Amino acid sequence: MAHGDITHLDIPVADFERAKSFYNAVFGWTIAAPPGFEDYPMWQAPNEISGGGLAPRSADFSQPRSYVEVDSIDAALETAVAQGGTVTMEKSPISETSWWAAFTDPDGNVIGLYEGTTETG
């Protein structure tokens, strides 16, 4: 994927098993937790391109969140803040070769950022 592509969609859920059954039945998504991410079931659309995760619902994660791939999270966050955005999650590692972060835009929309390569086997 290239800088600016939407790469991932996280969906907050309260019950993983119910959500797996629901999304498989409605959309035909394959849902499984990859090795090393047992508490984070990943979904894959039938096109084998679109995908994301089912993440625990919480007070600060109650709506689906898209993640945009960027060449540099640091640069993207700096630009977002300069343009009126607010960092809501600092850059954090996912794996040894990938990171994520999030910000709100001036309208309050939360946008996730992704940098790197995540191999889940």
Side-chain angles (χ1 to χ4, degrees), residues 4-108:
D5 286 350
I6 295 175
T7 187
H8 189 87
L9 176 69
D10 272 343
I11 300 172
V13 300
D15 181 323
F16 285 120
E17 293 307 314
R18 180 181 66 198
K20 287 182 200 178
S21 177
F22 178 84
Y23 287 113
N24 178 264
V26 174
F27 299 125
W29 291 352
T30 302
I31 303 169
F37 296 89
E38 284 76 16
D39 295 330
Y40 184 62
M42 304 286 284
W43 61 269
Q44 182 75 57
N47 67 10
E48 297 183 3
I49 297 170
S50 303
L54 302 178
R57 178 177 288 280
S58 66
D60 30 335
F61 184 53
S62 61
Q63 295 294 316
R65 180 180 303 158
S66 295
Y67 286 82
V68 179
E69 184 161 338
V70 293
D71 295 331
S72 167
I73 285 177
D74 297 324
L77 289 176
E78 183 178 324
T79 302
V81 169
Q83 295 296 313
T86 303
V87 175
T88 57
M89 184 177 77
E90 296 289 340
K91 181 179 178 180
S92 301
I94 298 169
S95 71
E96 292 180 8
T97 59
S98 61
W99 301 265
W100 63 332
F103 67 90
T104 56
D105 70 8
D107 289 307

